[in-house]
Amino acid sequence: MDVQDSNVLYLAIVDNKGSFIGYATIDHLDSDLPSIGLELKREYRRQGHGKETVDLLLEACSRVLNKDEVIVRINSDNNASLALFSQYNIKEIGREDSEYIQALDFLNKGKLESEKIAAPKEYSENGRYIKRFLLRA
């Protein structure tokens, strides 16, 4: 475990041999609704590591932060993560632009229409976005 910021906890995920296989975060530690996230190396996906990590994150939020609800943000086209989290007591509570679109909006702010950077097709309207879920431990 490594605390990089007083409001975010970054965790290395390692296998039983100590090899790095991904990372997890608990963000917004001081809020009523912290958020959790994880990323696994491709070769370690679909082997139960994600579920085990989510279980541990939920336990940490409950025991350490005294929070039984967290936010999870999942890209709309991330079927593996959507399937993983569907195993839990979740409720979709909103949608937002992807970080890519948010970054483009920031970069395009104040530019003339002809100067703006266009979003790729997969990010355009009705394309990729982020689903926000409330997850109850």
Side-chain angles (χ1 to χ4, degrees):
M1 296 192 323
D2 184 24
V3 178
Q4 300 286 328
D5 177 313
S6 63
N7 205 25
V8 181
L9 180 63
Y10 297 91
L11 304 147
I13 303 171
V14 296
D15 65 11
N16 57 4
K17 297 176 185 172
S19 299
F20 177 81
I21 65 171
Y23 70 91
T25 61
I26 303 175
D27 201 354
H28 308 293
L29 295 169
D30 61 359
S31 75
D32 289 337
L33 279 172
S35 64
I36 62 170
L38 69 141
E39 178 78 25
L40 293 171
K41 287 181 163 181
R42 188 169 305 280
E43 63 266 28
Y44 291 96
R45 295 176 187 168
R46 299 182 186 265
Q47 297 176 27
H49 301 295
K51 177 142 181 29
E52 185 177 358
T53 301
V54 172
D55 290 345
L56 291 171
L57 290 171
L58 291 175
E59 183 180 341
C61 287
S62 181
R63 287 185 177 198
V64 178
L65 301 176
N66 200 28
K67 306 289 182 189
D68 291 324
E69 295 181 327
V70 296
I71 298 291
V72 179
R73 299 169 66 245
I74 305 172
N75 284 323
S76 60
D77 60 350
N78 188 337
N79 294 325
S81 286
L82 291 168
L84 168 64
F85 283 99
S86 71
Q87 299 174 52
Y88 295 90
N89 184 11
I90 62 170
K91 176 184 175 186
E92 187 173 342
I93 58 170
R95 297 175 179 200
E96 61 189 68
D97 287 335
S98 69
E99 283 93 354
Y100 185 92
I101 294 297
Q102 292 174 30
L104 275 183
D105 288 347
F106 176 78
L107 292 172
N108 286 331
K109 193 174 186 175
K111 290 186 176 181
L112 297 173
E113 203 59 42
S114 62
E115 299 173 327
K116 290 184 178 181
I117 303 166
K121 186 177 177 180
E122 67 267 22
Y123 288 99
S124 59
E125 193 169 324
N126 298 322
R128 187 180 297 163
Y129 58 91
I130 296 171
K131 292 183 173 187
R132 283 182 296 150
F133 294 95
L134 181 64
L135 173 59
R136 293 186 176 96

